[in-house]
Amino acid sequence: MSILLTGSSRGIGAAIFDTLTAAGASVIGHGTQSGIAADFADPAAPRALWDAALDRAGGTIDVLVNNAGVFEANPLDRPHDDWVADWERTLRIDLTASAELCRLAVRHWQARGTGGRIVNIASRAAYRGDSPAHWHYAAAKAGMVAMTKTIARGYAGEGILAFAICPGFTMTGMADDYLASRGGDKLLADIPLGKVADPEEVAAVARFCALDAPASMTGAVLDVNGASYVR
C-alpha cells in the first residue's frame, strides 16, 4: 500500500504520517522539513511532486492524502492588489494544488484499471466560515469539500473513493497562533467538548478513510471539531 501524503512535516500531517506508517503503509511524505520538497505556491510543483512520488513508489500510488495548506491572515483593509495576491496564493496552495493531485491520481487509477482512495483534509471553516481576515481560507476549504463530493459521485463506479475530513481547532503551530490572537480560553468556550483536538485524533480518522472505510462511505465528510459546529 503506497500513500502520498502532502504537508507531512508537522502538525496534523506528521501525525497522519506516523499513524499510517504504524499501520504498515508505505507513506511518501511531502514538506519542507521531510519527504519530497515542493512549494505549492509554484504552479509546477504539484505535477513535479506527483512524478517524484510515483517514481519513489515504483510506479503505483494507491492513496492520496491532501493535507498541505496555509492559514495566513489577509485583512480587508490591505491595499487591493496585495489582498488579491494573497487570496490567489491561498487558493493556489490550499485548493488548486490539491485539485491537480486529485486529477493526477484519478487519471493514474483509470489508466491502471484499479481503484484508489483520496482523503482531503478540509476544515470546519468550509461550513461555518472563518474570521473576516480569512475569506480565502474558508473559500478554499469549501471548494475542497465540494471537489471531494464531485470526485466521489463521478468515479465511484471505477472503484475510486473520496473522503473529506473537517477538523476544527487542532493543536498545531497554526492553531496556537490563532488561539492566542482570539483570546485563548474565551475561544475554547465555543467548543462544547472543552478542548482543542489533538493531531492524533484527526490522524485516526484519516487512517480509517485511507485504509478501512467501506466503499459505501465514499463522499462522506467527517467532522472532528468537538461539536463546535454540527450539521
Side-chain angles (χ1 to χ4, degrees):
M1 174 69 67
S2 295
I3 300 176
L4 171 58
L5 165 65
T6 70
S8 62
S9 295
R10 59 179 181 150
I12 291 173
I16 293 173
F17 184 94
D18 291 343
T19 300
L20 290 173
T21 300
S26 175
V27 185
I28 301 165
H30 146 258
T32 56
Q33 300 176 35
S34 65
I36 302 171
D39 180 359
F40 285 169
D42 177 0
R47 181 59 187 262
L49 172 63
W50 177 264
D51 290 343
L54 197 60
D55 182 66
R56 185 173 296 187
T60 302
I61 291 174
D62 303 295
V63 179
L64 166 66
V65 182
N66 279 312
N67 170 72
V70 293
F71 183 81
E72 300 168 343
N74 193 21
L76 257 62
D77 59 1
R78 298 182 67 208
H80 181 75
D81 289 348
D82 292 342
W83 188 88
V84 172
D86 276 2
W87 171 281
E88 292 179 344
R89 168 180 159 80
T90 290
L91 269 290
R92 156 57 59 184
I93 294 172
D94 288 12
L95 179 59
T96 304
S98 294
E100 291 185 48
L101 289 169
C102 284
R103 175 187 177 273
L104 291 165
V106 169
R107 295 294 290 159
H108 173 63
W109 297 323
Q110 287 177 326
R112 290 177 53 82
T114 64
R117 292 184 179 226
I118 292 169
V119 183
N120 288 323
I121 309 301
S123 168
R124 78 174 181 179
Y127 288 101
R128 63 170 265 173
D130 212 289
S131 81
H134 293 90
W135 288 16
H136 51 354
Y137 179 79
K141 294 304 185 179
M144 179 175 271
V145 169
M147 177 176 70
T148 303
K149 294 179 178 181
T150 301
I151 292 168
R153 289 177 55 81
Y155 309 104
E158 299 174 64
I160 297 170
L161 313 179
F163 310 90
I165 300 171
C166 287
F169 292 117
T170 307
M171 267 307 168
T172 67
M174 289 193 300
D176 290 343
D177 293 342
Y178 192 88
L179 281 167
S181 72
R182 296 298 187 275
D185 290 343
K186 293 180 181 179
L187 191 61
L188 291 177
D190 188 40
I191 305 176
L193 187 62
K195 65 179 287 290
V196 173
D198 296 319
E200 291 74 18
E201 294 180 285
V202 181
V205 180
R207 177 199 179 283
F208 173 69
C209 292
L211 302 179
D212 299 322
S216 290
M217 271 189 65
T218 190
V221 182
L222 305 177
D223 297 323
V224 188
N225 64 45
S228 61
Y229 187 76
V230 293
R231 295 178 284 120

